[in-house]
Amino acid sequence: MLRRSEPISLEMPVETPECVRMTYRLAGPAARIGAYLLDTLLRGAIMVIVGIVLMCAGFTFLGTGMSVGLFLLISFFVEWGYFAISEGFYGGRTLGKKAMGIRVIEKYGYPLSFWAAMMRNLLRAADGLGFYGFGFISMLCTRRFQRLGDLAAGTIVIHEKEVRLPTEPIILETIKPLNRSDIGSFVPSERTLTLIDHLLSRRNNSHQRVPHERGHDIARELALVLAQKLDYQADLDQVKNYSMAFLARVYVTFLRQKEDDTPVHSGTADMFAGVES
């Protein structure tokens, strides 16, 4: 009997090492090509402006040789640095990706690190062989539409979902931190705190509000893992039954520690579309 093939879908489920399940909508070649064309137009406009300025400077005080040298240097920096710097410091986005509503993240759902951005863009030269034919073929042959740079850096490109900020945000100042006598010396990573941040944000998002019961179900696995790592000595039934509340207390406890006991404010630092939710 022939086996029925799996349906083709852009939805990609991911489970993080912290046992949080997420779903992303992958960005296909069309959206990525559109973003690249916009970025190419932008880089071209930058170099035209730089060329005009250096040409004028060459006729005045720099000299022709110096102007040409500076133009080549800036051209090299724009060509190789634009994508890595934009993606590394702007949440996996370039201006073209922002306009197309897509972004780069790491394959387990974490925000893109600067070194991953550098890796995926260093291999852009290999992807660009044959007028980006290698990169296009790689995207078509991989289930996650990854070009060679994505495969090497462990990254994927996703669509961002439109998210509205909650009309009544969480006031974290009202949440009681965990008692130090109830926990050990384990300190959650910054990535784990980011996961908690976005779980809390989704629960209180006014556009796609998650019911209390569903919110606790989503948060329970991460809450239990953290309780075990923290060697939490208080009531574990509270962790199981009110997992979102426990994660909020963990978030407040260690965010304040990382910020040297400065006040914690509500909201998220970076709203990830479909990420950590």
Side-chain angles (χ1 to χ4, degrees):
M1 181 180 293
L2 294 174
R3 296 180 62 184
R4 182 177 298 178
S5 59
E6 295 182 2
I8 298 175
S9 175
L10 292 178
E11 300 296 323
M12 186 194 73
V14 167
E15 182 171 341
T16 72
E18 290 86 356
C19 301
V20 177
R21 293 184 177 88
M22 304 168 292
T23 301
Y24 303 98
R25 183 168 177 262
L26 294 168
R32 295 176 66 170
I33 290 172
Y36 179 77
L37 291 177
L38 291 174
D39 286 322
T40 300
L41 290 175
L42 176 61
R43 288 182 295 137
I46 291 173
M47 292 313 303
V48 168
I49 295 172
V50 169
I52 293 173
V53 171
L54 290 178
M55 183 175 64
C56 294
F59 286 131
T60 56
F61 60 90
L62 283 180
T64 304
M66 180 68 75
S67 296
V68 172
L70 283 175
F71 180 83
L72 293 176
L73 182 63
I74 294 173
S75 177
F76 176 83
F77 178 79
V78 171
E79 177 66 25
W80 290 97
Y82 170 80
F83 290 100
I85 293 174
S86 296
E87 292 174 359
F89 292 102
Y90 191 42
R93 307 181 192 90
T94 61
L95 292 177
K97 287 184 174 67
K98 175 67 175 177
M100 296 300 295
I102 62 178
R103 71 184 303 159
V104 185
I105 62 171
E106 295 187 11
K107 62 182 179 181
Y108 290 117
Y110 292 123
L112 182 69
S113 68
F114 178 74
W115 297 113
M118 286 287 292
M119 175 63 73
R120 76 183 301 271
N121 286 293
L122 282 175
L123 288 177
R124 188 174 292 276
D127 283 307
L129 294 175
F131 298 99
Y132 271 89
F134 277 54
F136 187 74
I137 292 172
S138 177
M139 281 192 287
L140 293 181
C141 293
T142 54
R143 296 186 63 183
R144 298 181 175 185
F145 296 118
Q146 292 171 291
R147 60 177 179 82
L148 299 178
D150 290 317
L151 292 171
T155 56
I156 56 176
V157 183
I158 62 166
H159 281 281
E160 294 188 289
K161 295 179 182 178
E162 182 180 355
V163 178
R164 299 179 184 177
L165 292 175
T167 55
E168 298 180 359
I170 305 172
I171 307 300
L172 293 180
E173 290 89 341
T174 64
I175 297 176
K176 183 180 178 181
L178 297 172
N179 295 324
R180 290 293 175 178
S181 59
D182 292 335
I183 58 177
S185 60
F186 175 78
V187 177
S189 68
E190 197 166 317
R191 286 181 168 184
T192 299
L193 294 179
T194 301
L195 287 173
I196 297 174
D197 186 21
H198 293 289
L199 283 171
L200 297 176
S201 299
R202 183 177 182 184
R203 166 66 189 92
N204 288 271
N205 181 268
S206 60
H207 183 54
Q208 292 181 325
R209 185 176 295 276
V210 178
H212 281 90
E213 295 78 8
R214 179 57 180 158
H216 292 314
D217 288 341
I218 293 172
R220 185 166 294 114
E221 288 183 82
L222 177 57
L224 292 173
V225 169
L226 281 177
Q228 182 179 9
K229 290 186 175 182
L230 288 166
D231 193 21
Y232 187 58
Q233 300 298 316
D235 189 357
L236 286 179
D237 287 336
Q238 293 290 320
V239 177
K240 294 178 182 179
N241 298 327
Y242 304 101
S243 301
M244 294 288 285
F246 176 75
L247 290 183
R249 294 186 66 188
V250 171
Y251 182 79
V252 169
T253 301
F254 292 99
L255 183 65
R256 287 180 178 173
Q257 176 178 311
K258 288 178 180 295
E259 295 182 350
D260 296 325
D261 295 326
T262 55
V264 180
H265 297 285
S266 61
T268 59
D270 183 12
M271 298 298 294
F272 288 88
V275 180
E276 279 88 330
S277 60

